[in-house]
Amino acid sequence: ADQLTEMRCCCVGAQELAERYAPLLRLPVTEVGGALELIRQQAVKRGKERQRFRETSVATLELLLPRDNRKVYLETRLDARVQELVDRIGEDFGLKYIKLILNGRTLCVDQPLDQQGVKNHSKVMVLKVSDAEWKLQLSEEEEKEKNQKESLQRTQKGFQILSERDGSEDSSPFLEIADQRGNPLTIPPQEKKALILAMGFHEKGRSLMKKKQFDLALCHLLQADQQFSRCGSALLASVDNFAVLQLDVVWCYRALEALSCLEDGRSRLQRAEDCFLRCYGERQQRLLMIKGNTGREEVLFLRLHLLQSLLSYVEGNDAQARHQLSKVEALYTRLCLDSEKMAQLMSLGFTEREARLGLRACEGDLQEAAIHIGNQRQEREELKQRERKRRSRRMEAISSLTELGYSRRDAARALQHADGDVDVAYGGTAVDTSSPVSLQLLYLGFQRDVSEAALRLTGGDVQLATQLLLDQQGVLSPELLSESPSSEEPSTSTGDVSTEDSELVNEALEDIARHEEDYLDLNLEEESELIATMKTYLSPAHSV
């Protein structure tokens, strides 16, 4: 009865409007009433379609066909590729070669609809194209895919080269994994390679995000995620790199409006939140102990809660979305900086990044920020000096070992296993028996290949290997040599670097941020835009 009464009231209201505006429009009351009824029906229809989309993710698109410009409606999931939609339109309406236009831009056939800005109720124009233009369009898509693959391959190869370098060549750049205080971390070789590749792909992805190339950035970030999965869980639990990567992936989903990745985005945000808790501690106590403040890292939590709010809204949970957005607005208020204070710090010779990070670290206190930035500069300079001295000592140690018969590569490996102790490396106890040769055997006058074989036969025991060679007068019989499984690695010279390798390495190094806190230096412009959008979505007027 209530529903019938409501419908009757609506009809009476429409009749009153028709009678009011018919004289002004100089049209019959029935014609104006019919138009108002059509508007009402369309509004009801769109409301039902909007509700169905939120419940099932099935969108309704309005298509403008090329023949007679007539409008048709088509239902589809937005995670479907454009090619699937093109095929359906071709079958349903007998169109062979077509392209789809959204807001003046041609949709790429090999990408999902949602990643190109297609939304529920989007209006898409269908245009016929010639056979030649169709082939050209396919060629352009193939070229884009080829460039994407080439970018991934070059990034991987560049960082692979860097991950295999051991620092034995003074002139060749190499990468080292260090903690937040700059102290090198001892990591198993395979895990170190995976970590360098993961961080390399992540840096490349972040570089592309800054250029707003979110589709290509996402490809690199997902590759970083794969490499991180090859690292030990203990390592990932102790650093925030993995958590930041999860945020970056979901931020790309947002930029590409990839609703099909909603479930994956939710799980990634949960992993990020769990990782931050392990790394920073409850209420960020561990972070406070390490860095002395938590202001700079708050931008990560702002982005985390903002994305959580967005996903909650898309899932239809407006109450949770508002709860998360309230956290975001509180953080945003604290992190927005006074432009006058920024200008004063920059007038003192500090960079914009230093000023921004310094003020956030010191909760907006100008004097404290200036002192903090000065201390940071001094600490970085001291770290550089320690690194130069450590590198110099390492090169001297490698040179000392090479004079005793080691190759530079074997000397570097022996030093790594000996934690940089030349005496231990010289004694042979730190030798990796699968490749480097014990200096003791070389020092006694035995040949390199025979010494390696003896070490393999004795399981790396230098004393047993020495006794074996003495018993055999320094010559191993073919029978003994055949029992020794060869583990020789292809000989590579780090000093003879090809031009292509140099280019790949330089490309990789260009993408590495020069400041260790680059990932925290957010100006919050994108976040501000999304906050405004979310407030509009969650406003009472929009909900109605």
Side-chain angles (χ1 to χ4, degrees):
D2 291 340
Q3 290 179 345
L4 289 173
T5 302
E6 184 179 349
M7 290 177 64
R8 182 175 177 277
C9 290
C10 289
C11 291
V12 171
Q15 182 66 22
E16 290 178 352
L17 287 174
E19 292 174 354
R20 181 187 305 171
Y21 288 105
L24 297 175
L25 297 171
R26 298 180 180 179
L27 293 173
V29 173
T30 54
E31 189 173 338
V32 175
L36 289 173
E37 175 61 17
L38 180 61
I39 293 172
R40 187 192 69 80
Q41 291 176 0
Q42 289 177 341
V44 171
K45 180 174 177 290
R46 286 177 68 89
K48 291 179 179 178
E49 291 171 350
R50 187 181 298 111
Q51 182 66 26
R52 183 172 65 252
F53 175 66
R54 297 187 72 169
E55 293 175 351
T56 66
S57 296
V58 175
T60 301
L61 304 183
E62 182 181 317
L63 304 180
L64 184 63
L65 298 180
R67 287 178 180 167
D68 49 9
N69 288 334
R70 64 189 175 100
K71 296 178 182 179
V72 297
Y73 296 90
L74 187 144
E75 294 182 351
T76 179
R77 289 183 61 88
L78 295 180
D79 56 357
R81 292 189 175 275
V82 172
Q83 186 61 57
E84 297 176 30
L85 187 60
V86 168
D87 293 340
R88 284 181 59 188
I89 295 172
E91 292 174 5
D92 293 349
F93 305 104
L95 299 172
K96 189 174 182 182
Y97 297 129
I98 60 173
K99 61 181 179 181
L100 305 183
I101 308 296
L102 175 70
N103 298 327
R105 182 170 56 87
T106 302
L107 299 180
C108 299
V109 294
D110 65 338
Q111 293 182 13
L113 293 161
D114 52 12
Q115 291 188 14
Q116 301 183 72
V118 180
K119 304 176 183 178
N120 188 30
H121 294 135
S122 284
K123 297 180 181 180
V124 179
M125 181 179 293
V126 181
L127 292 183
K128 290 185 66 176
V129 297
S130 65
D131 182 57
E133 187 177 354
W134 177 255
K135 291 179 179 178
L136 177 61
Q137 179 178 330
L138 292 179
S139 175
E140 290 175 349
E141 293 299 328
E142 290 171 357
E143 183 67 21
K144 182 178 180 180
E145 184 177 353
K146 176 185 174 184
N147 292 338
Q148 189 177 83
K149 288 180 178 178
E150 183 180 354
S151 177
L152 289 171
Q153 290 170 354
R154 292 183 71 84
T155 300
Q156 176 154 356
K157 192 167 183 182
F159 282 101
Q160 234 167 10
I161 294 170
L162 286 166
S163 72
E164 291 167 358
R165 291 183 176 176
D166 50 26
S168 58
E169 296 296 330
D170 193 29
S171 59
S172 298
F174 74 106
L175 296 180
E176 200 166 44
I177 307 297
D179 62 17
Q180 292 174 325
R181 294 187 174 90
N183 302 312
L185 298 176
T186 302
I187 304 173
Q190 290 305 315
E191 193 170 352
K192 180 181 178 182
K193 286 184 179 181
L195 187 57
I196 287 178
L197 282 174
M199 295 174 72
F201 274 117
H202 192 183
E203 289 289 333
K204 178 68 174 181
R206 290 185 60 80
S207 173
L208 291 166
M209 287 175 69
K210 291 177 181 178
K211 301 172 184 176
K212 308 298 183 185
Q213 298 178 21
F214 291 104
D215 51 350
L216 188 55
L218 182 59
C219 294
H220 287 78
L221 295 177
L222 294 176
Q223 285 293 320
D225 193 55
Q226 288 184 15
Q227 294 297 332
F228 268 124
S229 67
R230 298 176 184 175
C231 301
S233 57
L235 177 63
L236 294 185
S238 62
V239 295
D240 63 0
N241 303 68
F242 184 65
V244 175
L245 173 64
Q246 305 310 307
L247 286 185
D248 288 339
V249 170
V250 184
W251 196 254
C252 284
Y253 288 165
R254 172 210 62 85
L256 297 169
E257 299 183 336
L259 293 178
S260 60
C261 301
L262 177 64
E263 185 175 348
D264 181 62
R266 173 66 71 186
S267 61
R268 287 185 183 278
L269 292 183
Q270 187 60 55
R271 287 199 293 272
E273 192 167 20
D274 293 343
C275 187
F276 283 138
L277 180 62
R278 290 192 300 269
C279 295
Y280 296 162
E282 194 74 35
R283 302 182 70 176
Q284 304 181 38
Q285 291 301 314
R286 184 169 178 268
L287 178 64
L288 189 62
M289 288 175 57
I290 295 173
K291 288 193 171 182
N293 61 78
T294 62
R296 290 163 294 186
E297 280 72 16
E298 283 190 334
V299 294
L300 302 177
F301 290 94
L302 183 149
R303 185 169 279 193
L304 171 66
H305 296 316
L306 183 54
L307 289 170
Q308 288 174 333
S309 176
L310 176 61
L311 291 188
S312 294
Y313 170 76
V314 174
E315 290 171 344
N317 191 342
D318 289 5
Q320 182 64 20
R322 289 190 180 93
H323 174 68
Q324 295 292 352
L325 189 60
S326 66
K327 295 182 183 179
V328 172
E329 291 185 286
L331 284 170
Y332 184 77
T333 301
R334 289 207 302 270
L335 294 171
C336 277
L337 302 174
D338 187 327
S339 59
E340 287 294 325
K341 292 180 180 179
M342 286 283 293
Q344 288 183 54
L345 287 173
M346 293 171 67
S347 69
L348 296 175
F350 299 133
T351 65
E352 182 180 351
R353 175 191 285 119
E354 287 176 321
R356 185 159 40 238
L357 293 174
L359 283 171
R360 285 177 181 162
C362 300
E363 300 180 354
D365 189 301
L366 182 62
Q367 299 300 325
E368 291 292 329
I371 295 171
H372 173 80
I373 298 170
N375 291 338
Q376 289 283 96
R377 282 189 170 186
Q378 184 176 349
E379 288 175 10
R380 278 195 292 273
E381 186 57 36
E382 290 174 354
L383 178 61
K384 288 180 182 178
Q385 291 179 4
R386 288 199 304 271
E387 175 58 28
R388 292 192 195 101
K389 291 179 180 178
R390 192 173 64 82
R391 182 79 187 271
S392 177
R393 288 196 300 269
R394 177 181 171 82
M395 299 310 297
E396 289 175 4
I398 289 175
S399 298
S400 298
L401 292 176
T402 54
E403 292 175 2
L404 295 172
Y406 262 93
S407 69
R408 295 192 69 84
R409 185 170 184 175
D410 287 347
R413 287 185 180 180
L415 281 169
Q416 181 179 0
H417 286 280
D419 291 330
D421 191 316
V422 179
D423 294 332
V424 174
Y426 171 76
T429 58
V431 173
D432 178 358
T433 60
S434 65
S435 177
V437 180
S438 169
L439 282 176
Q440 287 187 356
L441 298 180
L442 293 175
Y443 188 71
L444 292 172
F446 298 118
Q447 296 298 314
R448 172 179 291 274
D449 56 346
V450 176
S451 300
E452 288 179 337
L455 280 169
R456 289 195 294 270
L457 283 168
T458 58
D461 191 309
V462 178
Q463 293 184 349
L464 289 177
T466 303
Q467 189 60 49
L468 174 63
L469 290 174
L470 290 173
D471 292 343
Q472 300 293 324
Q473 297 183 351
V475 179
L476 296 182
S477 65
E479 291 79 9
L480 287 173
L481 287 173
S482 65
E483 295 176 13
S484 170
S486 175
S487 64
E488 281 294 314
E489 297 179 357
S491 176
T492 58
S493 171
T494 56
D496 184 18
V497 182
S498 69
T499 303
E500 182 185 4
D501 284 359
S502 296
E503 291 177 355
L504 291 168
V505 167
N506 289 335
E507 285 179 19
L509 294 175
E510 285 176 3
D511 291 316
I512 297 177
R514 295 294 179 264
H515 194 283
E516 68 276 9
E517 292 185 335
D518 178 77
Y519 70 105
L520 301 175
D521 183 33
L522 303 180
N523 58 24
L524 302 183
E525 289 179 1
E526 291 180 79
E527 287 78 4
S528 176
E529 292 175 4
L530 184 53
I531 290 171
T533 301
M534 288 302 303
K535 290 174 74 172
T536 301
Y537 287 162
L538 295 170
S539 66
H542 189 273
S543 299
V544 173

